[in-house]
Amino acid sequence: MNLYKYVSESINKNLGFVANLETPRNRTFGDFSTNAAMVGAKSAGKNPRDLANELLPKLRDLDFISDASVAGPGFINIKLRDDFIWRAAAQPHTEKTDTPKKIDLDYGGYNVGKALHVGHLRTSIVGDTFNRIAKHLGHHTKSYNHIGDWGRPMGLIIAWILEYGMPQNADELNKMYPASTARAKEDDAWMARAKEITAELQSGNPKYKKIYDDFMKISLAQMDNVLHRLNLLPFDATMGERGVAPYVNDTQKILESCGLLVESDGALIVNVKTDDDTAPMPPLIFRASSGAQTYAAADLSAIYYRTKTDHPDTIIYFTDSRQNLHFNQIFRVAKMAALTTAELFHTGFGALTGPDGKPFKTRDGGVAELLDILDMVRDAVRARVSTSGKQLDDTTIDSIALAAIKFNDLLHDVRTDYIFDPTQITSFEGRTGPYILYTAVRLNSVLKRAGHAPTPSAIGELTDDERNLLIETLDFDRTVQSAFDNRATDMIANYAYDLCQLANTFYHNCPILRDDVDDATRAKRLQIVRIARDTLATAIDLMGLRIPNEM
Ligand code: ARG
């Protein structure tokens, strides 16, 4: 159950004020605190402390409240009844939404013929977690991998292949685009050729199409590999720039009929600047002067296609923040042309940086490839495990490395940069993925050792550590809802950490399987472990991590 919502609504209803409910970090004085008396004081013509005192009996009337007291200038602290907490915590999680939405999600967005790089990490991880959160709440999502598979890079790669032959694997393929680009910079004829090939490919030249289809297979296999290693849900549609090409004409007609397209130096553009703009707002380029389909045309046509096929209520894009301007332009045009009735959102990410605050680079100064980063973190886990003298198999090491990367990525507000430090994120202590997994493994191991323990009938009193942990589990549904509403996946990661902290404190202070613990207490505590484990496992699942058998 969403404890916060339940308590908040019950209190507001009973007192007749819409007040704020706070959850204090330190629960010594109360589990919640409300500012109802401060809110009501003015209209009641009373001072808040006096009003607070008058309200106390009304609060004590509520059957889930064991005590209420006035604090400070008129806050009311509320303590919940143990038996209420107990019963609430035993209920299964998630109320599914009553109003499921159709949501198209656009993340990943990998490029054909190019290695996935550090910039693709967050879009993959955050997009995937958001998808899981939305599904968990009962929304209908469709995930799109809007791949870069139709622009100039394709012409440059084909030009290279015509001269030097087909690549045999992803490594060979991924070297071609940079090599061909370098050559095009020095050799105008080469560039002209690449442009021509691009335009001809886009208008259906069968020879180029055959080459394209062949190297496409290599790239798609490479994307699958990354998906697998990052434990991402499969995309519902791998449909990018080429996939939407058949809809560019329809989209163009709509823009034309709205009088939005303007010719400029042989290109077709849309002016999106408004009088309110203070920052530069260049026009959107719908068709390049070479006649080639642009990045913007693809995104507008994608909106047209998705609207026609999926009828989404919402479309959300997850990319790095360097594309903020692009999506701003896209959204403006989509609105001006009424391409969709869906709400459009773009979440722009900050970058992974080195300790110097500059974008994360490999040791030799190159752009870090995504698979290299995964390997780097796996090595860091391996090194740590071997110094600690533990023996862990490869699957476990992989799960820990995955948790290290993903948890750290999810932990930060998506809009900010963060320092990527393989040593720090693989620590078994602190706000790290391994710490989260370690706690889950520990809870699992208690339950395993306990075997079939009876479910307790009555619970008696709860100790502070017991009730704090249970109350935290009762904050899960609210957290997931808010993570969804705010598109803030960091809330899940931070919640998981807080839950683990409380679970470990409970574990230290509340013996469970020791001989001197009586049966009733043991049964009660095992039940608490079960509830905490289930909640943590669900959070871990939303982050797309795997819990190892041992650590
Ligand atoms: N392929 C692009 C890149 O690697 C990202 C695509 C993002 N999605 C979109 N609909 N434009 O930068």
Side-chain angles (χ1 to χ4, degrees):
M1 97 188 279
N2 185 334
L3 178 71
Y4 180 91
K5 193 167 149 212
Y6 179 82
V7 171
S8 170
E9 285 174 358
S10 312
I11 291 177
N12 286 347
K13 199 166 141 216
N14 224 34
L15 299 185
F17 306 119
V18 178
N20 234 339
L21 195 66
E22 300 281 332
T23 38
R25 267 277 117 220
N26 175 352
R27 296 204 174 104
T28 319
F29 302 108
D31 301 314
F32 290 104
S33 127
T34 170
N35 67 350
M38 332 274 264
V39 174
K42 205 162 179 195
S43 62
K46 290 183 177 150
N47 102 23
R49 258 194 90 87
D50 292 343
L51 179 61
N53 275 304
E54 282 172 32
L55 296 178
L56 290 183
K58 276 199 180 179
L59 285 172
R60 293 192 183 120
D61 271 356
L62 287 164
D63 61 0
F64 58 86
I65 289 180
S66 70
D67 194 19
S69 57
V70 179
F75 288 107
I76 305 175
N77 287 330
I78 290 156
K79 223 158 170 75
L80 301 178
R81 289 174 59 122
D82 285 358
D83 56 344
F84 169 75
I85 295 173
W86 183 256
R87 267 181 288 113
Q91 287 171 24
H93 279 304
T94 40
E95 302 141 18
K96 295 243 175 208
T97 175
D98 301 328
T99 48
K101 284 188 170 174
K102 278 188 263 173
I103 308 173
D104 282 353
L105 299 173
D106 185 313
Y107 59 91
Y110 313 133
N111 298 312
V112 167
K114 292 189 210 168
L116 273 70
H117 57 78
V118 52
H120 292 116
L121 195 66
R122 285 187 112 175
T123 171
S124 307
I125 294 173
V126 173
D128 180 71
T129 287
F130 187 85
N131 192 4
R132 292 171 192 257
I133 290 172
K135 283 176 187 292
H136 176 86
L137 291 172
H139 297 289
H140 306 296
T141 62
K142 181 165 176 187
S143 59
Y144 280 90
N145 186 7
H146 184 87
I147 54 176
D149 57 352
W150 207 227
R152 171 102 39 91
M154 302 305 112
L156 284 159
I157 293 171
I158 294 171
W160 196 264
I161 289 176
L162 286 169
E163 191 116 337
Y164 301 102
M166 251 342 253
Q168 296 310 306
N169 52 46
D171 274 347
E172 281 181 32
L173 170 60
N174 297 342
K175 290 198 179 95
M176 294 183 160
Y177 170 66
S180 188
T181 308
R183 176 150 172 200
K185 273 199 187 120
E186 277 154 25
D187 180 347
D188 291 344
W190 186 263
M191 177 57 105
R193 176 118 185 79
K195 282 189 183 173
E196 192 186 301
I197 295 174
T198 308
E200 279 191 42
L201 173 72
Q202 292 190 356
S203 50
N205 177 313
K207 181 172 159 204
Y208 298 157
K209 178 72 185 355
K210 168 86 179 66
I211 298 175
Y212 171 87
D213 285 341
D214 284 347
F215 70 75
M216 177 66 117
K217 287 191 196 104
I218 299 177
S219 266
L220 289 177
Q222 188 192 22
M223 290 177 203
D224 266 352
N225 180 29
V226 170
L227 232 67
H228 180 73
R229 281 200 60 188
L230 280 177
N231 193 31
L232 305 181
L233 299 173
F235 283 99
D236 296 312
T238 296
M239 177 179 185
E241 296 170 7
R242 179 184 160 213
V244 300
Y247 307 97
V248 173
N249 264 335
D250 284 357
T251 309
Q252 181 169 339
K253 277 192 202 121
I254 297 175
L255 301 193
E256 263 160 11
S257 71
C258 299
L260 292 171
L261 286 176
V262 182
E263 223 184 289
S264 164
D265 293 331
L268 283 178
I269 65 167
V270 183
N271 287 309
V272 291
K273 194 170 155 37
T274 66
D275 293 343
D276 301 334
D277 282 320
T278 47
M281 181 52 68
L284 172 145
I285 304 176
F286 189 83
R287 200 178 69 202
S289 51
S290 65
Q293 173 185 318
T294 61
Y295 187 51
D299 267 320
L300 288 170
S301 309
I303 291 178
Y304 168 79
Y305 168 82
R306 292 171 192 177
T307 300
K308 208 161 70 100
T309 344
D310 309 332
H311 311 287
D313 299 303
T314 310
I315 307 178
I316 310 177
Y317 299 83
F318 299 88
T319 78
D320 70 74
S321 55
R322 285 173 306 175
Q323 303 206 28
N324 286 358
L325 174 67
H326 166 74
F327 283 104
N328 200 339
Q329 294 176 312
I330 295 292
F331 292 179
R332 285 185 186 198
V333 175
K335 195 162 197 181
M336 291 192 277
L339 278 180
T340 187
T341 50
E343 269 191 297
L344 303 172
F345 293 106
H346 173 235
T347 299
F349 301 139
L352 274 66
T353 73
D356 55 0
K358 302 222 175 82
F360 186 78
K361 293 261 159 70
T362 55
R363 221 167 287 149
D364 56 19
V367 173
E369 289 188 11
L370 206 149
L371 288 171
D372 292 344
I373 290 183
L374 298 187
D375 290 343
M376 203 184 293
V377 174
R378 176 154 61 185
D379 291 346
V381 172
R382 225 177 235 136
R384 221 174 245 287
V385 168
S386 85
T387 30
S388 74
K390 285 184 187 166
Q391 301 275 335
L392 298 177
D393 60 25
D394 284 349
T395 319
T396 304
I397 302 261
D398 279 348
S399 301
I400 298 173
L402 185 73
I405 295 178
K406 291 179 93 172
F407 182 80
N408 183 58
D409 197 76
L410 292 165
L411 188 62
H412 300 90
D413 178 331
V414 293
R415 288 158 304 187
T416 58
D417 294 351
Y418 71 81
I419 296 176
F420 177 74
D421 174 359
T423 312
Q424 185 266 321
I425 66 175
T426 52
S427 169
F428 279 41
E429 280 148 43
R431 244 170 236 272
T432 67
Y435 172 72
I436 303 295
L437 293 190
Y438 187 77
T439 309
V441 168
R442 166 179 270 173
L443 297 178
N444 273 336
S445 127
V446 173
L447 294 173
K448 220 180 284 165
R449 276 184 287 140
H452 287 287
T455 326
S457 38
I459 47 132
E461 285 201 347
L462 293 171
T463 68
D464 282 351
D465 293 318
E466 292 168 345
R467 70 199 309 283
N468 286 346
L469 178 54
L470 286 176
I471 290 175
E472 189 69 23
T473 66
L474 283 166
D475 208 24
F476 180 71
D477 287 339
R478 169 171 77 130
T479 305
V480 179
Q481 186 60 51
S482 289
F484 175 79
D485 291 341
N486 298 293
R487 283 168 283 124
T489 41
D490 55 309
M491 288 182 178
I492 300 288
N494 282 296
Y495 172 84
Y497 176 74
D498 290 344
L499 183 66
C500 287
Q501 290 278 79
L502 291 168
N504 284 313
T505 308
F506 160 83
Y507 180 84
H508 282 292
N509 297 341
C510 306
I512 304 169
L513 300 177
R514 233 165 54 187
D515 288 344
D516 58 340
V517 177
D518 64 76
D519 286 350
T521 305
R522 176 174 305 142
K524 171 178 74 173
R525 291 188 175 160
L526 281 171
Q527 176 74 352
I528 295 173
V529 171
R530 224 173 274 130
I531 292 168
R533 191 273 314 269
D534 290 350
T535 309
L536 182 58
T538 310
I540 285 176
D541 206 47
L542 292 179
M543 294 187 281
L545 316 182
R546 296 193 189 94
I547 305 174
N549 292 326
E550 54 159 358
M551 252 175 97

